Amino acid sequence: MLNVKLIAYTPDPEKVIAAAAKICYSASDAETIMEGLTPEKTDRFLGMLTDMGHESPIEHASFTFAIEGVSRSLLAQLTRHRIASYSVQSQRYVKLKEGVFAFVTPPEIARDPVANEKYQQAMADCHRNYLELADALQARHTAELMEQGLPEKEARKKAEKMAIEDARYVLPNACETKLVVTMNARSLQNFFRLRCCNRAQWEIRELAWTMLELCRRAAPTLFGKAGPACLCGACPEGKMSCGKTAEVRERSLSL
């Protein structure tokens, strides 16, 4: 199940951004840049940046999320957002042991009994094949390492890492992963514009809306208008539009 936590972000992010904007448009210096930035003036600076389309100052605020319960399929899409930092649970170093195989089931598969049965069986087969491969490879690597002079305990430990490095190739895109991601506010706004859209794939869309809700709590003015492009104008998808702009805007208002 998707679980997202905003674990850290720039302290007073909106004020930091307002200070960055202030240095661009006033004679302020390093000693005075934070002076006089009341909540009202901070909101005014952020509104001015939005109206002008001046986005670089918002890069000075960053947000860090801990994410779990997402698939490797989602991870492949998420890491296309390159102005970000990612730390992902490794399949080279973390073995998926017996009875501990977590995976994501798409809702459309879950709601179809026949499809779901086939899907669950496919996941079980993948896990079984993974464990069998890992065990076979580990046994061989252990024997070879012991022949080279390593003590049995050390040989087994090293052999396990060598084995799962190759056994993981049979794991499916559905396999769950965990990660920590950090983005600056400008990258996040671009992420929300693309991934909160109904045209985005269902899993990353739900992640994006969850992250947006957390960002709005932390910085309501900064992210007040963030979301898919249709929140602030016509849908840019043209003939590919979902045709549900009113629904999308209602969802945004409910955050």
Side-chain angles (χ1 to χ4, degrees):
M1 180 181 294
L2 176 65
N3 185 26
V4 186
K5 303 291 184 185
L6 178 58
I7 59 174
Y9 57 91
T10 301
D12 216 345
E14 296 179 336
K15 191 171 182 179
V16 169
I17 292 169
K22 185 178 178 182
I23 204 74
C24 295
Y25 298 107
S26 75
S28 298
D29 54 30
E31 300 298 325
T32 62
I33 190 172
M34 298 295 283
E35 292 179 2
L37 285 176
T38 63
E40 293 74 23
K41 287 186 178 180
T42 295
D43 286 353
R44 191 157 59 247
F45 266 117
L46 293 178
M48 177 189 72
L49 294 175
T50 299
D51 293 342
M52 295 173 63
H54 187 184
E55 296 181 332
S56 62
I58 69 175
E59 294 176 13
H60 294 289
S62 63
F63 297 76
T64 300
F65 303 86
I67 302 169
E68 61 184 7
V70 295
S71 70
R72 286 268 165 174
S73 179
L74 178 143
L75 179 64
Q77 298 174 69
L78 183 61
T79 52
R80 291 174 186 166
H81 295 270
R82 293 181 292 277
I83 305 177
S85 299
Y86 300 97
S87 297
V88 183
Q89 185 179 68
S90 174
Q91 290 180 337
R92 292 182 66 195
Y93 297 103
V94 180
K95 185 177 182 179
L96 304 181
K97 300 183 183 298
E98 189 78 44
V100 193
F101 181 51
F103 55 89
V104 174
T105 302
E108 288 302 311
I109 290 179
R111 65 191 292 264
D112 185 315
V114 174
N116 189 53
E117 183 179 357
K118 291 180 179 296
Y119 186 82
Q120 300 301 320
Q121 186 59 54
M123 295 300 105
D125 291 344
C126 283
H127 191 206
R128 186 188 67 254
N129 290 334
Y130 166 82
L131 292 172
E132 290 175 356
L133 278 169
D135 288 346
L137 290 170
Q138 184 177 359
R140 196 193 81 208
H141 290 317
T142 299
E144 291 172 349
L145 290 168
M146 289 177 66
E147 286 178 4
Q148 296 169 19
L150 279 183
E152 183 177 356
K153 184 176 180 180
E154 185 179 348
R156 286 186 179 280
K157 185 176 180 180
K158 186 174 183 180
E160 181 181 67
K161 297 297 183 289
M162 295 168 67
I164 63 177
E165 181 175 40
D166 291 328
R168 64 181 171 150
Y169 276 76
V170 300
L171 293 174
N173 278 336
C175 193
E176 270 194 13
T177 192
K178 304 173 184 178
L179 67 148
V180 170
V181 57
T182 299
M183 293 186 188
N184 68 51
R186 187 179 188 180
S187 291
L188 276 168
Q189 289 193 355
N190 177 66
F191 174 72
F192 297 143
R193 188 158 45 248
L194 297 174
R195 301 300 186 172
C196 288
C197 174
N198 278 346
R199 292 268 297 147
Q201 190 256 358
W202 68 270
E203 189 182 13
I204 199 168
R205 184 172 67 245
E206 289 309 304
L207 172 64
W209 278 104
T210 303
M211 290 169 63
L212 175 56
E213 182 175 7
L214 294 171
C215 285
R216 284 194 182 170
R217 292 178 191 171
T221 301
L222 177 59
F223 291 102
K225 295 182 179 179
C230 64
L231 293 186
C232 300
C235 173
E237 295 290 330
K239 293 181 179 179
M240 304 299 287
S241 173
C242 70
K244 298 179 179 179
T245 297
E247 260 181 52
V248 173
R249 291 177 178 175
E250 185 63 30
R251 180 172 188 177
S252 177
L253 288 172
S254 70
L255 292 184

